[in-house]
Amino acid sequence: GFAGAVCRLYNPCLKISFMKTKESVLKLIFLLCAAFSILAVLLICFFLFANGIPAIHKIGSIDFIFGQKWKPGNELYGIFPMIVGSIYVTAGAIIFGVPVGLMTAIFLSKFCSEKFHGILKSGIDLLAGIPSVVYGFFGLMVIVPFVRNVFGGNGSSILTASLLLGMMILPTIISVSES
């Protein structure tokens, strides 16, 4: 009688079925978003290569990669100094960022109090969200004058770029190392 009517009105099987359907729909939405993201990256790579390969073929791949000068007005397209500069800046950023990041992660996981951990972790997460343009502006306004005053020159150097990139990689190194 009454118990049967209540069971028909409130059927846990229907609720579970609805939850499974909702979960399946959400899985499909996330799968489509991930597939779209991958497709977007692949299309960007395709268009870069489709437009770049003919130009590299015209210039010559050896001259393009190992050329010493980049002067498009004179039809000189050598990127070797850019490659070497990128390697130097990356190595410098690792030299500055990894020790500081590891030590910070060790401090956070082993020695830091719970209250202070929450404050520091929030600050580190906030650093991860700062756009690279803001870091670049900070570098121009703070790091370049500092390097200029301490070491001379105009301040725009591999040291400046390494310090700035080292600061930018800190949140990732700290979070991964702490985990």
Side-chain angles (χ1 to χ4, degrees):
F2 179 74
V6 171
C7 285
R8 280 190 299 274
L9 286 175
Y10 180 75
N11 188 344
C13 292
L14 288 175
K15 188 173 184 182
I16 291 171
S17 175
F18 176 73
M19 294 292 281
K20 285 185 178 181
T21 304
K22 188 171 146 183
E23 186 174 324
S24 297
V25 169
L26 288 175
K27 277 185 181 180
L28 180 65
I29 290 171
F30 287 129
L31 177 67
L32 290 173
C33 288
F36 181 75
S37 298
I38 292 169
L39 179 67
V41 170
L42 290 175
L43 285 173
I44 289 170
C45 291
F46 172 75
F47 283 111
L48 283 174
F49 283 114
N51 292 322
I53 287 177
I56 292 171
H57 182 51
K58 180 182 172 189
I59 298 163
S61 57
I62 300 297
D63 289 336
F64 180 70
I65 294 174
F66 294 107
Q68 298 294 317
K69 295 191 188 231
W70 179 268
K71 291 186 178 178
N74 297 342
E75 302 216 7
L76 295 172
Y77 300 98
I79 63 166
F80 190 70
M82 295 177 219
I83 294 170
V84 172
S86 296
I87 292 169
Y88 284 161
V89 169
T90 302
I94 290 170
I95 289 169
F96 291 123
V98 170
V100 172
L102 285 175
M103 295 299 169
T104 305
I106 291 169
F107 173 75
L108 284 171
S109 63
K110 298 293 181 188
F111 303 108
C112 189
S113 68
E114 282 296 318
K115 183 179 178 183
F116 195 53
H117 180 274
I119 295 169
L120 274 179
K121 191 67 176 160
S122 297
I124 292 166
D125 291 340
L126 185 65
L127 286 175
I130 296 174
S132 56
V133 172
V134 175
Y135 276 109
F137 185 72
F138 174 77
L140 282 174
M141 294 295 120
V142 177
I143 299 175
V144 168
F146 173 77
V147 170
R148 182 184 314 127
N149 292 337
V150 173
F151 299 105
N154 66 3
S156 297
S157 64
I158 290 175
L159 174 64
T160 305
S162 296
L163 286 170
L164 187 60
L165 188 59
M167 285 173 40
M168 291 173 72
I169 64 174
L170 276 176
T172 304
I173 292 174
I174 293 168
S175 296
V176 169
S177 298
E178 186 184 12
S179 294

